[in-house]
Amino acid sequence: MSDVRNIKMKVCLIGEYAVGKTSLIQRYVYNTFSDRYIQTIGAKITKKALLLQYPERKTNLDVDLTIWDIMGEKGFRELLKEAYFYGAQGMLAVCDMTREDSYYELPTWISAVEKVAGSVPVVFLGNKIDLAESKTVEEDDMKMMGESYDSSYLLTSAKTGRNVETAFMRIADRIAGKDVLA
Ligand code: G3D
Ligand code: MG
């Protein structure tokens, strides 16, 4: 018999405007993709339950995941970041593979979180990989970013669903490894 434990986690999606943060959450939580742009006003909170299984530890974690979405505008970031990042245990740092600027902004976003929440696990997402023919960010760039934060990356598409579930599972697993199973 495995031991089942219930834990709560707060994860923030960070990254520039229009990289696909809201779409990734929508894909993960509702399994839909809407081409009609639904702009996030302020911060939006979504919940999802997930199960992490660690058979070698005879432990299952019943995770109550709270996902925070934000508008990716700089002015907004300054204004609300304390409230948004407070208590965050992990982040999904998202860039758009077709927009280099969104890649170069990732460290700024991470510092903003770390100022409020301290050092927390991060997983980098190179989103819109379905638009591979117009990509300006290479997989090697993502790899480099991941390594420089002692972390990992995934290439995702909110449109096709590629790696979306894996992304949320991975950040939850990283948080569990740091806070719960350690
Ligand atoms: P944001 O929340 O980071 O600001 P959104 O970004 O989720 O609002 O997405 C911005 C735009 O990118 C939307 O298009 C959305 O449909 C599109 N998008 C998000 N993820 C993907 C993806 O993986 N692939 C493709 N092809 N498009 C994606 P519009 O046209 O409504 O602005
Ligand atoms: Mg949004």
Side-chain angles (χ1 to χ4, degrees), residues 24-25 27-29 31 48-52 65 92 123 125 154-158 160-173:
L24 286 163
I25 296 168
R27 166 62 70 195
Y28 178 58
V29 176
N31 198 25
K48 171 129 174 164
L50 72 98
L51 184 69
L52 294 176
L65 192 64
L92 291 173
V123 174
L125 306 183
L154 288 164
L155 304 182
T156 60
S157 168
T160 67
R162 176 171 161 188
N163 274 336
V164 175
E165 183 154 14
T166 310
F168 286 89
M169 295 287 278
R170 186 173 297 178
I171 189 62
D173 173 63

Side-chain angles (χ1 to χ4, degrees), residues 15 17 26-27 53 57 81 92 105 125 131 138 142 169:
Y17 176 72
Q26 205 179 354
R27 166 62 70 195
Q53 295 177 295
R57 293 167 179 268
K81 70 181 182 198
L92 291 173
E105 281 293 325
L125 306 183
L131 302 176
E138 297 298 327
M142 294 304 298
M169 295 287 278

Side-chain angles (χ1 to χ4, degrees), residues 32 177 182:
T32 59

Side-chain angles (χ1 to χ4, degrees), residues 56-93:
E56 72 289 355
R57 293 167 179 268
K58 293 193 163 36
T59 300
N60 288 342
L61 296 181
D62 230 330
V63 180
D64 192 352
L65 192 64
T66 306
I67 305 162
W68 287 59
D69 190 12
I70 196 179
M71 269 171 67
E73 266 175 36
K74 288 200 182 83
F76 185 83
R77 175 163 74 198
E78 291 312 311
L79 203 64
L80 267 191
K81 70 181 182 198
E82 293 254 345
Y84 181 64
F85 299 143
Y86 181 80
Q89 289 155 290
M91 41 188 163
L92 291 173

Side-chain angles (χ1 to χ4, degrees), residues 77-173:
R77 175 163 74 198
E78 291 312 311
L79 203 64
L80 267 191
K81 70 181 182 198
E82 293 254 345
Y84 181 64
F85 299 143
Y86 181 80
Q89 289 155 290
M91 41 188 163
L92 291 173
V94 188
C95 72
D96 175 344
M97 295 295 279
T98 71
R99 269 173 53 209
E100 264 183 310
D101 66 299
S102 71
Y103 173 81
Y104 290 113
E105 281 293 325
L106 288 173
T108 316
W109 278 99
I110 289 170
S111 321
V113 178
E114 288 184 337
K115 268 189 207 137
V116 177
S119 168
V120 298
V122 54
V123 174
F124 292 93
L125 306 183
N127 192 42
K128 307 198 187 179
I129 192 61
D130 58 287
L131 302 176
E133 72 282 359
S134 28
K135 78 175 171 357
T136 53
V137 178
E138 297 298 327
E139 180 162 6
D140 273 353
D141 299 323
M142 294 304 298
K143 185 162 180 279
M144 219 158 40
M145 185 69 80
E147 283 170 357
S148 70
Y149 283 87
D150 203 13
S151 182
S152 63
Y153 73 95
L154 288 164
L155 304 182
T156 60
S157 168
K159 186 166 188 175
T160 67
R162 176 171 161 188
N163 274 336
V164 175
E165 183 154 14
T166 310
F168 286 89
M169 295 287 278
R170 186 173 297 178
I171 189 62
D173 173 63

